[in-house]
Every structure is written in C-alpha cells, then in structure tokens.
Amino acid sequence: MRDFYPDDMAVRNGIFEAWAEAARRFGFEHYDACVVESLELLKRKGGEEIQDQIYWFKDKSDRELALRAEMTPTLARMIVARQNELTFPIKWFTIAQCFRYERMTRGRKREHYQWNMDIVGEPSVMAEAEVVMAAIEALRKLGLGSDEVRVHVNSRAVLSDILAKLGIPREHHAATFLALDKRGKITDEEIGVLLRNEGLTQQSIDATFKVLGLTSLEAVIELLGQRTPALDHFLAFFDIMKLYDAGDVVKFDISVIRGLGYYTGIVFEGFDAGRSLRAIFGGGRYDNLLGDLGGKPMTAVGLGFGDVVIAELLAERGKIPHLEGRRDLAVSFMEEAQRDTAIRVAKAMRAGGANVDLALHPEKPKHFFGRTGKAGFGRGIYIGPDDLAKGSIRVKNLADRTEQEIALQTLGN
Ligand code: HAM
C-alpha cells in the first residue's frame, strides 16, 4: 500500500481534478461513503476473483467487516436505502479508495483510488454513452487525445442471445461469462473444465469458444440471424459515439467480458492505443444488483477508473500532471528586524489570493534563492534592511528573474 509524499500527492491531485471536472462537466453529482463495509454486503456468489481478495476482519463486537474492494455494492446499498425518496435516473460520482489482496503486478496494487460514475434508473443506451464519454473527457483533460486511447466494447446481453441460439440455457450464462473472462489467465482446457462443471456439453463448449473468435459486428449480426433488443441497444451505442465524434475511439471486442458477476448488458474497458498496459477503466450495465441486494429491481450503468494504470501511462508519455505553479510565492527575510514586515507582506499577499510560503526564520539570500529554485516556486520576495529603508519590496519572478517593485504602504497593516 502506498504512501503519498508531496510530489506523489501533486500527481494524484492532478488526476483527481481531471476526474472530478469531467464528472461535473457531464452532470454527475458527488457522493461518498465509509471505506469499511459489512462483509456480508460484499460477499456474492463464487467465480469472481474479487471475492477472494477482500481484506476483512472482526471488530470488538464480533461483527464481520471489510475494506471495500470496489464501490458498486456500497452505491447499491445507499440507493436501496433511499429508493423511495430519490428521483431517478440519478447520476453520481465518487473517488473511492479500494483495497484488494491482489498479486502485485504492473498496474495492480493492494490499494488504489477508483473514480466511479454511475447512472441508476435509466434503461436507455444514452446512459452507457454518457459514462464512456465522461471517461474520454477525463483522459483528454489529462492530455491523452482520442488517438491515444481505445474503448473496447462488448455486450453480455448480445453474447447471451448468441449462447441461447447455440442452445445453452440462460441460467448457465452468468457462470459462462465468468469462466470465459479467465481466458489468458488460465488455459482453455481449464476453462473447459469450469464450463463442464457448470453443465455445458462438450459441443456447447466448442461452440462457445468459436463465438470468441468473432471479430466484427457484421459477423455477430450474421450469426444471430435476426435483430434482437440487445443487438439494437448495442448498435445504438456505436451510433451515439459517432455523434460525439468518438466513433474511432470505440471498438467492438468480443473478448471483453469482465470479471464481475453483476454485469448484464454492454461492458467496456479503456486501454492505451498500443495496449501496452492493463485496462485504464472498466464498467458496464448491471440490471440485477439493486434487486439482488433487496431493493426494487432497477437498471444501472457505471464504470471504475483507477489511479494506478493512468499514472503509469502518463509517466510513460511524459504527461504527468504539471507540478509547476503548485508552489506560488515564497516570502523570506534576512534578519529578525525584517520579520514583522515579512509577516505583513505575507498577510497582504495571502489576502490577495496568492499561496504564500513564509520563512519561519531569517536566512541568507543565497540560501533563499537556492531552496526556492529547487522547490519550484514561481515568485519570491526576499526582504533585507535596504528594502525597509526604501519602504518597498521586490517581487521576483524566479523563472525569468524580472522584478516588480511594490511600496510597503500599499500593503496595509
Ligand atoms: P474493475 O474492473 O474491477 O471494476 O476495476 C475498475 C478499475 O479500477 C480498473 O480498470 C483499474 O483501473 C482499477 N483497479 C482495479 N483493481 C485495481 C488494483 N488492484 N490496483 C490498481 N487499480 C485497480 C470495478 O471495480 C467496478 N465496480 C466498476 C463499476 C462501477 N462498474 C459499474 N460501476
């Protein structure tokens, strides 16, 4: 788990700001919750990797509690608690710290921050489009244009229609998805065993693997042989993305299935265009979670966008959010005799809106200019006895060394 020193914190803040600004630009409202949840809420049926990764403990009253591994169950709990009062559809966002006991690999840590945006109570494909576009907007704010990222999109609902057409009963589909999501992590033979245990025949398993070889929407349409509501919903998504000039950013990819059990419709994952890193974000439509948690059934769409992969990608591209300007103005003085003037200057500058770091003790000019240069301050005011005698101070631009003189009497008391 990570410590954030000031330099790390500046990067983190840059990412968080881009997330929050993009969410607000798309009309999402901010919410939050406690990182500790009841273990019961987070426990779902097997097959999900995340279930084995939960950090949990018993408190002094013997209650089983857990650090959240993702925000979605908490969001569902919060909505179910006020389902009668809230006006739907709701559009909410949060930046939540999440904990997973994962094997540490590139882009995966035991703790991460995850930006979540969810739209609850909206069946239209507009919901998927808004969530995905807001994520693309955040990437743009971070300096990653539409040629640098790709959103790979699939639909579990369309896959379901295909599996049904192949004769696989719908009750096996959820488990089939979770097994297929393990592709690349375990062998196809092992996936075959999982599917056989689920009750699929060898013929169905072979057919299922063949489906994963489909590479175009045309091939999907041909295989289905007819338009289904799920297919129409899916195709409409791509049409809306074109209206947003993001037609080239989204890409049909049948291998995107996702490892969480609750998705029921469109699922998507964002990647760097060269696909050198893991997914930047992921999400989709989940129609059953609210009902499963004891609420009224209600459709929902959302995504999670972590801080780890994006920070790696930005570092790789030399686009780490700018640290300069972080430290604005340094004020210092040569001797105790100028201390009170330095306080007066800092007070006036702070009142005027500047972020001022006031020296805590006298220092030599060489020391002042050395440390402020190293720390990346934009401007400096160094006060010596001569300044007091003249009744003015000089604000030095530390980058281009230009100076601006200000009369002390204009600064107030
Ligand atoms: P997820 O795909 O498990 O989805 O996680 C979403 C994103 O969180 C990933 O794409 C990645 O950026 C980040 N992430 C996940 N695990 C780690 C980790 N161990 N270390 C670093 N980053 C990580 C969900 O969690 C869903 N609840 C998202 C969602 C919200 N679906 C609907 N609403």
Side-chain angles (χ1 to χ4, degrees), residues 51-299:
Q51 294 307 301
D52 305 323
Q53 299 173 337
I54 296 175
Y55 281 94
W56 70 276
F57 58 96
K58 281 188 180 171
D59 71 1
K60 288 181 181 172
S61 316
D62 237 16
R63 277 179 296 227
E64 291 184 331
L65 301 175
L67 301 179
R68 65 176 168 230
E70 55 161 343
M71 195 62 175
T72 312
T74 300
L75 171 71
R77 175 181 62 68
M78 288 170 67
I79 289 184
V80 168
R82 301 226 174 140
Q83 216 166 359
N84 293 328
E85 297 146 57
L86 292 166
T87 308
F88 295 96
I90 57 139
K91 293 168 66 182
W92 286 2
F93 83 95
T94 193
I95 297 172
Q97 194 175 21
C98 299
F99 297 81
R100 297 184 187 182
Y101 195 82
E102 288 214 55
R103 202 163 57 82
M104 304 261 282
T105 54
R106 191 160 181 222
R108 281 290 171 275
K109 300 204 179 291
R110 298 258 157 93
E111 151 278 323
H112 71 284
Y113 283 91
Q114 205 187 90
W115 174 37
N116 277 239
M117 279 181 296
D118 289 83
I119 300 182
V120 180
E122 179 52 59
S124 150
V125 71
M126 285 291 284
E128 281 95 330
E130 286 292 290
V131 163
V132 169
M133 280 314 301
I136 292 173
E137 172 71 9
L139 289 165
R140 195 189 58 76
K141 280 183 191 296
L142 288 166
L144 295 169
S146 50
D147 52 330
E148 291 175 275
V149 289
R150 290 285 170 274
V151 184
H152 292 233
V153 196
N154 194 10
S155 165
R156 283 195 184 178
V158 170
L159 268 187
S160 234
D161 287 345
I162 297 175
L163 295 182
K165 186 150 173 120
L166 297 175
I168 301 169
R170 290 205 182 253
E171 64 263 27
H172 295 311
H173 292 184
T176 303
F177 295 145
L178 288 181
L180 294 179
D181 181 65
K182 297 197 164 63
R183 250 194 144 186
K185 294 175 202 147
I186 59 175
T187 65
D188 281 2
E189 286 71 40
E190 286 168 314
I191 292 174
V193 172
L194 290 175
L195 293 175
R196 220 165 296 128
N197 291 345
E198 180 58 29
L200 267 66
T201 63
Q202 190 55 47
Q203 198 189 0
S204 302
I205 294 169
D206 293 343
T208 304
F209 275 120
K210 246 195 217 128
V211 170
L212 291 185
L214 296 178
T215 54
S216 72
L217 278 169
E218 291 71 32
V220 169
I221 295 167
E222 198 183 312
L223 181 74
L224 274 174
Q226 61 180 38
R227 296 293 278 254
T228 65
L231 182 61
D232 286 342
H233 187 98
F234 195 34
L235 296 177
F237 173 79
F238 291 96
D239 290 340
I240 296 177
M241 295 313 275
K242 277 187 208 135
L243 289 177
Y244 266 127
D245 300 323
D248 294 335
V249 182
V250 289
K251 186 175 168 236
F252 165 64
D253 181 350
I254 201 140
S255 73
V256 171
I257 293 177
R258 307 217 7 93
L260 293 159
Y262 47 67
Y263 294 114
T264 52
I266 287 183
V267 278
F268 50 82
E269 284 181 345
F271 291 96
D272 61 292
R275 251 195 115 153
S276 63
L277 300 171
R278 303 182 65 135
I280 304 170
F281 63 82
R285 183 173 283 279
Y286 51 104
D287 282 351
N288 302 331
L289 189 63
L290 270 79
D292 289 348
L293 292 178
K296 280 185 274 186
M298 201 173 247
T299 183

Side-chain angles (χ1 to χ4, degrees), residues 362-374:
E363 65 185 325
K364 296 223 158 63
K366 199 171 148 208
H367 185 265
F368 172 72
F369 288 108
R371 75 171 172 89
T372 49
K374 222 161 61 195

